[in-house]
Amino acid sequence: MPYRYLPDIATADVAFEAWGETREEMFCAAADALTNVMVDDLASVTPTEEIAISLAHEELDLLLFSFLQELIFLKDARCLLLRVPRIMITEAEEVLHLDAIAHGERIDNERHPMMVDVKAVTLHLFSVRRQENGWWARVVLDI
Protein backbone atom coordinates (compact mmCIF):
# COMPACT_ATOMS: atom_id res chain seq x y z
CA MET A 1 0.00 0.00 0.00
CA PRO A 2 1.86 3.12 -1.17
CA TYR A 3 0.10 5.50 1.21
CA ARG A 4 -0.47 5.98 4.92
CA TYR A 5 -2.85 8.10 6.98
CA LEU A 6 -1.56 10.79 9.33
CA PRO A 7 -3.67 10.85 12.52
CA ASP A 8 -2.31 14.01 14.16
CA ILE A 9 -2.56 16.58 11.34
CA ALA A 10 -6.04 18.03 11.86
CA THR A 11 -9.12 17.22 13.91
CA ALA A 12 -11.92 17.70 11.35
CA ASP A 13 -9.91 16.51 8.36
CA VAL A 14 -8.14 13.40 7.13
CA ALA A 15 -4.50 13.58 6.07
CA PHE A 16 -2.39 11.11 4.15
CA GLU A 17 0.97 10.70 2.51
CA ALA A 18 1.23 8.93 -0.85
CA TRP A 19 4.36 7.89 -2.70
CA GLY A 20 5.66 6.10 -5.76
CA GLU A 21 8.79 5.59 -7.81
CA THR A 22 7.31 7.85 -10.51
CA ARG A 23 5.00 10.84 -10.47
CA GLU A 24 2.33 8.66 -12.04
CA GLU A 25 2.60 5.99 -9.33
CA MET A 26 2.33 8.67 -6.66
CA PHE A 27 -0.81 10.11 -8.31
CA CYS A 28 -2.40 6.61 -8.46
CA ALA A 29 -1.55 6.01 -4.80
CA ALA A 30 -3.10 9.36 -3.83
CA ALA A 31 -6.26 8.48 -5.77
CA ASP A 32 -6.52 5.15 -3.92
CA ALA A 33 -5.92 6.86 -0.58
CA LEU A 34 -8.73 9.33 -1.35
CA THR A 35 -11.18 6.57 -2.26
CA ASN A 36 -10.09 4.44 0.69
CA VAL A 37 -11.01 7.29 3.06
CA MET A 38 -14.60 6.96 1.84
CA VAL A 39 -14.91 3.16 1.53
CA ASP A 40 -13.21 0.60 3.72
CA ASP A 41 -12.61 -1.99 1.01
CA LEU A 42 -11.11 -0.72 -2.26
CA ALA A 43 -11.68 -4.14 -3.81
CA SER A 44 -15.44 -3.57 -3.49
CA VAL A 45 -15.22 -0.89 -6.21
CA THR A 46 -15.92 -2.84 -9.40
CA PRO A 47 -14.60 -1.40 -12.69
CA THR A 48 -17.94 -1.31 -14.52
CA GLU A 49 -17.57 2.27 -15.83
CA GLU A 50 -14.69 4.14 -17.44
CA ILE A 51 -14.18 7.89 -17.23
CA ALA A 52 -11.46 9.74 -19.14
CA ILE A 53 -9.74 12.47 -17.17
CA SER A 54 -7.59 15.11 -18.88
CA LEU A 55 -6.12 17.99 -16.92
CA ALA A 56 -3.29 20.48 -17.34
CA HIS A 57 -1.37 22.75 -15.02
CA GLU A 58 2.01 24.44 -14.89
CA GLU A 59 2.80 23.09 -11.41
CA LEU A 60 2.91 19.41 -10.45
CA ASP A 61 1.45 19.96 -6.97
CA LEU A 62 -1.54 21.85 -8.36
CA LEU A 63 -2.00 19.17 -11.01
CA LEU A 64 -2.33 16.61 -8.21
CA PHE A 65 -4.70 18.94 -6.37
CA SER A 66 -6.89 19.30 -9.50
CA PHE A 67 -6.80 15.56 -10.13
CA LEU A 68 -8.02 14.68 -6.64
CA GLN A 69 -10.66 17.42 -6.81
CA GLU A 70 -11.88 15.91 -10.11
CA LEU A 71 -12.34 12.53 -8.42
CA ILE A 72 -14.34 14.20 -5.64
CA PHE A 73 -16.43 16.08 -8.23
CA LEU A 74 -17.23 12.81 -10.05
CA LYS A 75 -18.24 11.24 -6.72
CA ASP A 76 -20.54 14.17 -5.94
CA ALA A 77 -21.96 14.86 -9.42
CA ARG A 78 -22.28 11.30 -10.75
CA CYS A 79 -22.20 9.24 -7.53
CA LEU A 80 -19.11 7.40 -8.79
CA LEU A 81 -16.42 5.71 -6.75
CA LEU A 82 -13.32 5.56 -8.91
CA ARG A 83 -9.89 3.99 -8.96
CA VAL A 84 -7.17 5.05 -11.34
CA PRO A 85 -4.80 2.23 -12.27
CA ARG A 86 -2.72 4.21 -14.78
CA ILE A 87 -1.89 7.83 -15.42
CA MET A 88 0.24 9.48 -18.06
CA ILE A 89 1.85 12.83 -17.30
CA THR A 90 3.57 14.64 -20.15
CA GLU A 91 5.06 18.10 -20.49
CA ALA A 92 4.72 20.48 -23.41
CA GLU A 93 5.66 24.14 -23.44
CA GLU A 94 6.18 24.17 -19.66
CA VAL A 95 2.67 22.81 -19.01
CA LEU A 96 2.08 19.40 -17.44
CA HIS A 97 -0.71 17.33 -18.99
CA LEU A 98 -2.41 14.49 -17.17
CA ASP A 99 -4.37 11.83 -19.01
CA ALA A 100 -5.98 8.96 -17.14
CA ILE A 101 -8.77 6.46 -17.41
CA ALA A 102 -10.59 6.01 -14.11
CA HIS A 103 -12.51 2.79 -13.47
CA GLY A 104 -15.31 2.35 -11.01
CA GLU A 105 -19.00 2.25 -10.40
CA ARG A 106 -21.95 4.10 -8.92
CA ILE A 107 -22.10 4.15 -5.15
CA ASP A 108 -24.16 1.25 -3.83
CA ASN A 109 -24.83 1.73 -0.13
CA GLU A 110 -25.25 -2.02 0.35
CA ARG A 111 -21.82 -2.81 -1.11
CA HIS A 112 -20.04 0.46 -0.34
CA PRO A 113 -20.93 1.59 3.16
CA MET A 114 -19.48 5.09 3.18
CA MET A 115 -17.19 5.73 6.14
CA VAL A 116 -16.92 9.50 5.55
CA ASP A 117 -17.86 11.90 2.80
CA VAL A 118 -14.89 13.82 1.45
CA LYS A 119 -15.91 17.37 0.57
CA ALA A 120 -12.66 18.74 -0.85
CA VAL A 121 -8.89 18.68 -0.97
CA THR A 122 -7.38 21.49 1.08
CA LEU A 123 -4.17 23.42 0.50
CA HIS A 124 -3.34 23.13 4.21
CA LEU A 125 0.05 21.35 4.41
CA PHE A 126 -0.42 20.20 0.79
CA SER A 127 2.92 19.35 -0.78
CA VAL A 128 4.56 17.29 -3.50
CA ARG A 129 8.27 16.64 -3.70
CA ARG A 130 10.84 14.46 -5.35
CA GLN A 131 12.94 12.30 -3.05
CA GLU A 132 15.89 9.99 -3.63
CA ASN A 133 13.64 6.97 -4.11
CA GLY A 134 10.77 8.62 -6.01
CA TRP A 135 7.91 11.02 -5.44
CA TRP A 136 6.01 11.88 -2.26
CA ALA A 137 2.86 13.89 -1.52
CA ARG A 138 1.06 15.06 1.61
CA VAL A 139 -2.68 15.72 1.27
CA VAL A 140 -5.29 16.96 3.74
CA LEU A 141 -8.95 16.27 2.92
CA ASP A 142 -11.92 18.21 4.26
CA ILE A 143 -14.55 15.73 5.47
Side-chain angles (χ1 to χ4, degrees), residues 114-132:
M114 300 296 279
M115 297 189 313
V116 297
D117 184 30
V118 176
K119 298 176 195 167
V121 180
T122 73
L123 288 174
H124 178 67
L125 300 175
F126 191 91
S127 64
V128 173
R129 71 174 187 252
R130 186 178 181 127
Q131 300 185 148
E132 284 182 25

Side-chain angles (χ1 to χ4, degrees), residues 54-106:
S54 293
L55 301 167
H57 208 286
E58 294 174 356
E59 303 294 330
L60 184 64
D61 58 347
L62 295 178
L63 184 64
L64 177 60
F65 182 89
S66 296
F67 172 64
L68 296 174
Q69 282 290 107
E70 182 71 12
L71 294 175
I72 294 168
F73 168 77
L74 291 166
K75 182 259 308 169
D76 290 339
R78 298 189 192 170
C79 296
L80 292 173
L81 290 173
L82 298 168
R83 299 192 65 194
V84 185
R86 270 190 313 272
I87 293 173
M88 185 169 57
I89 299 173
T90 57
E91 187 171 355
E93 300 177 12
E94 298 183 19
V95 176
L96 295 164
H97 299 271
L98 177 145
D99 291 294
I101 302 292
H103 300 269
E105 64 180 321
R106 291 184 60 81

